[in-house]
Amino acid sequence: MNKNNSYMLMLMLLILACSPKVRTGDAQQIKLSASYTEAPFIKGLEQNPLIQVRIYVTAGSSITFTSIKCRLNEQAIKNIARVDLLMRDDKERGSLRDAKVLGSAENLSANTEIPIKLTLEPGLHFIWLSPVLKAEADIDDKISIRAAALIEGKSEHEILTNLNPGFANRLGIAIRKAGDDGVNTYRIPGLIRTDKGTLVAVYDVRYKNSGDLPGNIDVGMNRSSDGGHSWEPMKIIMDMGPPHENNGVGDPAILFDPQTNKLWIAALWSKGNRSIAGSEPGLSPDITGQFVLVNSKDDGQTWSAPISITSQVKNPSWHLYFNGPGNGIAMLDGTLVFPSQYWDESRKPGIPYASVVYSKDHGNTWKSGTGAKSNTTESQVVETTPGTLMLNMRDNRGKFRSVATTKDMGKTWLEHPTSVRDLPDPVAMGSIIKARVNVKGEMKDVLFFSNVASQTARQNTTIKASLDLGETWLPANQLLLDSRTSYGYSILSQIDDHTIGILYEGERDLYFMRIPVKDIIKQFPK
């Protein structure tokens, strides 16, 4: 071997000795894998632990890791303020609110390394990558973060995953978070768009706990003038006054009247124990819960005092009558419609029936339809063809949504062929809207539906589309937004010709997302 060749060989050996050793989980020491949650990274949250790394240290000595390598796409680099590495004992499940931060990275690049000092004994361990979004993050973007490798001294352990290479997490924004303004829980979303393009969101402000009425609950509101990218501060718009601990109002629904440009909100007022369990036959607020309304003439900036329409719509023999939460509609002929529910005169609290209330004079007077189906409660309504209303109902029997139609404002109902068949549901609130949107370059009337798409658990928040006004719901035309377990309620609203907005519950929080129509609709019915 000549002198030059000898020199090159020594140089190569030196480089190899100094280079990190890439190992796909040494079978004698460590096994690594990563799992990714199909859910959005939420702007405004200090934790987004959607990437879990599972570390199994086999029998033997402990191992100390000095960093973790991550791969980020351009949108991630643009929108993320920092990436934290979290750890909570050695258990797979449970709250991460009190998790320890092992390390953080702020100066992000395509190949970001988070320095840590993590010594693990033999056994199973879990850590989480948790990005925190910038205040100016664009919620229309999708970001990709990959847990690539754990570094042990000079050795690099590859983190294995079977993740689809094209997978990326969507972004959303927290309109309300548990603890904001000293409030324990925000629940029961409603959402509507006005003629000015303003989005108006309403919800329960549950001050003391997460429980339903009766309790200390008001109705809060936020407005957005930029399609949901940012939101004005909360305003309390329905408060029935003292004693607050025993005088709550909640379960709001909102509609917009395009002929008068007036917003209307319906809600249930419980003066004392006058919610579902405590209401009695009668009309007085001292006896039964009240169906109350407020309205706004200035695009949601100011609101009227509450008025009760209970005497107009409730049969005095019923135990309770109030709205279905979410939104209402204005029909083509100008009729205003809120979904509703009444609890009949049978043994307390009665059997519930979903129905509708409507006004032919733009909110001056109101009438009620009859029950569409027994043992149904929270519902949403759309006008499929002129004069035909479709009621999509929570059914206490479970597993599926019930659906019925009426052509006479709820005097008579016909159960729809898709009822208890096409839309799985775990007994929760869902949302249905009719929107005229751009589908592959052509304007079409489409029904969009959202709920927690499971028969048993409140998980898998999903949007579905029907291009034939609810006759079919093709499996291809649906989009899973958030696979996590949640409180489960959601509400939809059209934002523009190409975009649908959804406001939905996490656990005590309310999240908003903008979803392109093209991401939902992928197939036309035959």
Side-chain angles (χ1 to χ4, degrees):
M1 179 180 296
N2 62 38
K3 188 175 182 179
N4 287 338
N5 287 342
S6 177
Y7 173 78
M8 291 299 295
L9 179 59
M10 291 177 62
L11 182 61
M12 289 174 64
L13 291 172
L14 181 61
I15 292 173
L16 287 172
C18 296
S19 298
K21 299 171 184 176
V22 179
R23 304 191 293 187
T24 53
D26 188 326
Q28 299 303 312
Q29 296 186 55
I30 182 172
K31 295 179 180 179
L32 302 173
S33 62
S35 59
Y36 296 76
T37 303
E38 191 150 356
F41 292 118
I42 300 295
K43 182 164 68 170
L45 295 187
E46 281 298 305
Q47 287 187 352
N48 281 290
L50 303 184
I51 303 165
Q52 182 196 74
V53 179
R54 185 180 190 273
I55 308 169
Y56 181 66
V57 180
T58 60
S61 60
S62 63
I63 297 179
T64 298
F65 299 103
T66 55
S67 66
I68 183 169
K69 285 188 174 182
C70 314
R71 297 193 184 96
L72 284 68
N73 68 354
E74 291 183 10
Q75 288 77 18
I77 297 168
K78 180 181 77 170
N79 289 298
I80 294 174
R82 73 174 192 272
V83 180
D84 295 331
L85 190 67
L86 307 178
M87 187 174 189
R88 180 189 47 79
D89 298 330
D90 60 349
K91 298 177 183 178
E92 181 178 5
R93 298 188 181 277
S95 173
L96 288 169
R97 293 181 187 272
D98 299 321
K100 179 172 65 174
V101 179
L102 299 177
S104 301
E106 295 183 356
N107 298 317
L108 305 179
S109 64
N111 293 289
T112 293
E113 193 164 346
I114 303 175
I116 57 175
K117 185 176 181 180
L118 177 61
T119 300
L120 298 179
E121 300 296 329
L124 185 60
H125 308 271
F126 298 92
I127 57 176
W128 286 263
L129 284 172
S130 177
V132 178
L133 299 182
K134 295 177 180 177
E136 65 273 17
D138 185 352
I139 61 172
D140 286 340
D141 280 345
K142 298 177 184 178
I143 63 178
S144 171
I145 305 178
R146 300 288 183 268
L150 272 170
I151 310 303
E152 174 208 356
K154 294 182 179 180
S155 298
E156 186 172 310
H157 299 270
E158 182 183 358
I159 299 172
L160 302 176
T161 180
N162 59 358
L163 186 69
N164 183 331
F167 174 79
N169 292 86
R170 297 177 185 274
L171 303 187
I173 183 172
I175 291 183
R176 294 274 85 193
K177 305 188 300 295
D180 285 351
D181 296 307
V183 174
N184 181 277
T185 299
Y186 294 94
R187 283 211 62 196
I188 323 297
L191 183 68
I192 208 76
R193 181 188 65 169
T194 73
D195 62 322
K196 294 181 173 60
T198 305
L199 292 176
V200 183
V202 294
Y203 44 83
D204 275 13
V205 180
R206 301 187 173 188
Y207 293 100
K208 300 299 183 182
N209 53 57
S210 62
D212 297 334
L213 289 168
N216 186 5
I217 300 173
D218 292 335
V219 173
M221 180 214 67
N222 292 80
R223 298 168 73 250
S224 172
S225 58
D226 59 5
H229 287 282
S230 63
W231 294 81
E232 296 174 6
M234 177 180 72
K235 289 183 179 178
I236 300 298
I237 59 170
M238 297 183 79
D239 178 352
M240 304 309 291
H244 296 284
E245 294 297 332
N246 206 32
N247 202 30
V249 60
D251 280 21
I254 184 168
L255 69 75
F256 177 73
D257 183 346
Q259 293 188 18
T260 64
N261 295 332
K262 187 182 289 188
L263 286 159
W264 290 90
I265 294 175
L268 169 62
W269 171 30
S270 174
K271 182 183 180 184
N273 184 15
R274 297 294 176 258
S275 187
I276 292 172
S279 284
E280 303 280 359
L283 297 176
S284 164
D286 294 314
I287 296 173
T288 190
Q290 298 292 294
F291 196 129
V292 292
L293 300 175
V294 296
N295 67 75
S296 172
K297 302 176 182 178
D298 55 8
D299 207 48
Q301 297 188 68
T302 61
W303 294 84
S304 70
I307 60 168
S308 174
I309 60 169
T310 304
S311 61
Q312 298 181 46
V313 297
K314 185 190 177 193
N315 182 329
S317 66
W318 296 338
H319 286 91
L320 180 65
Y321 195 49
F322 66 107
N323 57 287
N327 62 24
I329 64 169
M331 297 176 67
L332 291 174
D333 67 0
T335 303
L336 306 183
V337 184
F338 276 114
S340 64
Q341 56 183 296
Y342 66 84
W343 296 68
D344 71 11
E345 66 277 11
S346 61
R347 187 174 62 182
K348 186 178 178 179
I351 297 171
Y353 294 80
S355 187
V356 292
V357 297
Y358 61 94
S359 173
K360 294 283 188 179
D361 54 12
H362 300 287
N364 291 316
T365 60
W366 296 82
K367 296 181 179 180
S368 173
T370 60
K373 185 177 182 181
S374 68
N375 218 10
T376 58
T377 56
E378 297 164 329
S379 62
Q380 290 285 266
V381 64
V382 291
E383 184 180 21
T384 52
T385 57
T388 299
L389 296 178
M390 174 181 282
L391 197 63
N392 186 293
M393 299 168 275
R394 168 176 170 162
D395 193 318
N396 288 343
R397 299 166 185 85
K399 294 189 176 181
F400 288 94
R401 305 287 292 183
S402 281
V403 182
T405 59
T406 179
K407 295 184 177 181
D408 54 14
M409 301 307 299
K411 292 179 182 178
T412 60
W413 294 91
L414 180 66
E415 190 153 15
H416 195 265
T418 61
S419 184
V420 296
R421 187 190 73 184
D422 286 6
L423 297 172
D425 188 78
V427 188
M429 180 257 194
S431 173
I432 191 167
I433 63 169
K434 180 181 175 182
R436 190 161 183 81
V437 293
N438 190 304
V439 181
K440 298 186 182 299
E442 184 179 350
M443 297 301 294
K444 289 184 175 293
D445 288 328
V446 178
L447 295 189
F448 292 94
F449 172 78
S450 69
N451 78 328
V452 275
S454 166
Q455 290 188 344
T456 56
R458 291 189 179 184
Q459 61 186 39
N460 297 330
T461 300
T462 301
I463 298 180
K464 301 178 180 180
S466 172
L467 278 75
D468 54 11
L469 299 179
E471 296 301 311
T472 60
W473 298 89
L474 298 180
N477 295 335
Q478 65 180 30
L479 180 66
L480 173 62
L481 298 180
D482 197 326
S483 64
R484 296 172 294 184
T485 300
S486 68
Y487 282 1
Y489 286 29
S490 62
I491 189 69
L492 300 169
S493 180
Q494 183 177 3
I495 296 177
D496 54 40
D497 293 350
H498 298 273
T499 316
I500 298 297
I502 181 169
L503 181 63
Y504 72 101
E505 296 179 330
E507 292 185 350
R508 300 167 54 210
D509 305 331
L510 292 174
Y511 305 142
F512 175 81
M513 296 176 68
R514 292 168 46 93
I515 307 299
V517 169
K518 63 180 177 59
D519 289 0
I520 307 169
I521 299 175
K522 309 173 190 70
Q523 182 180 336
F524 288 90
K526 295 180 180 179

